[in-house]
Amino acid sequence: MENLFENEEVVVINKPAGMLVHDDGSDEKDTVVSWVRQTYPEVENVGEQVRVRTGELVSKPGVVHRLDRDTTGVLLIAKTQESFENLKKQFQEHTIDKKYHAFVYGILKDDDGVIDRPIGKNKNDFRQYSAQRGARGVLREAQTEFKVLKRDTKNGVTLVELSPVTGRTHQIRVHMKAVHHPVVADGLYAPKGEKILGFARQALHAWSISFKLLSEESVSVEAPYPKDFEEALLLLKE
């Protein structure tokens, strides 16, 4: 695990692909939480519990937000309860700025814009969320800003920067599917998509995060691209 920033309040790490943030009831041993417990035992009582799919309550020391198992990049860990509450409030008020980079199928026509589509549950697959017609359950407001970084017409792929204004589960993956440009190699939301550019996992990276410390000082942290992103960039055709 790579530390990108650390002080007495917070640790910002670069999460690798293939790692859950916390146990989801499947007895996963190698998680961000297990790393926190081993590296920062003093953080054990910071934060709050979360109910997993089995109905069990599990603790997630220091964890303020989460990334999907195969999403890489910046993740905040609070080191004190005061810091946890400060960061949690910023997430609730949508004042934390998060930017993701993703390779998506197809060529986005607009250089930038906002995807404004409420998200509910997929009516056919309990694992999925949906921002398309027929979504069931409570539909929650969701907005994602996007900006095109590179277009590759030869490979039929776009590199895009995405900023979720809201924080719904799978939001970026759901919104990109809804506009017919799902994330490359996303096995859940684009199961029939070709694994182009060498990706064996969803091509989504949490590239940067900006937040405020208790002193109101602003901090911005960027996570270097993982190896698969670097190699994919070399394969892009202008």
Side-chain angles (χ1 to χ4, degrees):
M1 198 82 70
E2 179 186 8
N3 279 21
L4 301 171
F5 173 87
E6 182 175 3
N7 66 5
E8 66 280 359
E9 294 180 28
V10 65
V11 182
V12 186
I13 62 172
N14 188 0
K15 188 187 87 66
M19 178 179 282
L20 286 173
V21 171
H22 58 77
D23 181 17
D24 62 356
S26 59
D27 290 327
E28 187 81 26
K29 303 300 181 187
D30 188 18
T31 66
V32 172
V33 163
S34 65
W35 175 83
V36 169
R37 284 194 166 113
Q38 182 177 359
T39 313
Y40 299 95
E42 68 277 13
V43 176
E44 178 62 38
N45 295 318
V46 172
E48 58 193 13
Q49 293 185 313
V50 62
R51 194 173 299 279
V52 298
R53 61 185 179 183
T54 60
E56 177 188 4
L57 279 173
V58 299
S59 62
K60 47 172 190 172
V63 173
V64 189
H65 64 124
R66 62 182 293 275
L67 296 174
D68 296 332
R69 179 197 288 267
D70 285 328
T71 299
T72 54
V74 287
L75 188 71
L76 294 177
I77 306 294
K79 295 172 74 175
T80 69
Q81 189 64 31
E82 190 178 12
S83 174
F84 176 86
E85 299 296 343
N86 174 48
L87 295 171
K88 180 181 175 181
K89 182 180 179 183
Q90 291 177 61
F91 273 108
Q92 291 172 337
E93 295 177 349
H94 308 306
T95 56
I96 285 185
D97 181 38
K98 294 184 293 179
K99 289 183 169 60
Y100 293 73
H101 287 181
F103 291 92
V104 300
Y105 292 113
I107 305 301
L108 271 72
K109 294 179 181 178
D110 294 333
D111 290 337
D112 53 53
V114 179
I115 303 168
D116 188 351
R117 290 175 176 245
I119 292 177
K121 293 291 290 185
N122 186 296
K123 63 181 180 180
N124 298 316
D125 188 336
F126 73 92
R127 301 171 303 162
Q128 292 188 26
Y129 292 82
S130 175
Q132 295 166 280
R133 183 176 297 176
R136 62 179 176 83
V138 177
L139 298 182
R140 301 185 183 279
E141 177 188 7
Q143 298 89 31
T144 303
E145 298 172 350
F146 70 88
K147 179 175 71 175
V148 169
L149 300 177
K150 288 179 181 286
R151 293 182 177 92
D152 178 354
T153 54
K154 184 173 181 179
N155 287 307
V157 69
T158 304
L159 176 61
V160 60
E161 182 172 282
L162 298 143
S163 303
V165 179
T166 49
R168 309 303 177 199
T169 302
H170 296 179
Q171 179 172 316
I172 287 174
R173 299 163 67 191
V174 171
H175 269 171
M176 295 316 297
K177 178 180 179 179
V179 298
H180 311 295
H181 293 286
V183 175
V184 165
D186 189 333
L188 184 59
Y189 290 99
K192 296 180 180 178
E194 183 183 357
K195 288 180 168 54
I196 57 176
L197 301 180
F199 280 103
R201 54 98 183 185
Q202 65 220 24
L204 182 60
H205 177 68
W207 180 67
S208 70
I209 194 164
S210 299
F211 58 96
K212 287 189 175 181
L213 300 173
L214 288 164
S215 65
E216 293 293 315
E217 177 187 353
S218 295
V219 175
S220 294
V221 183
E222 294 179 0
Y225 279 163
K227 185 178 179 181
D228 54 4
F229 259 71
E230 293 282 6
E231 291 176 349
L233 279 174
L234 296 176
L235 297 174
L236 286 187
K237 310 294 183 184
E238 295 294 338

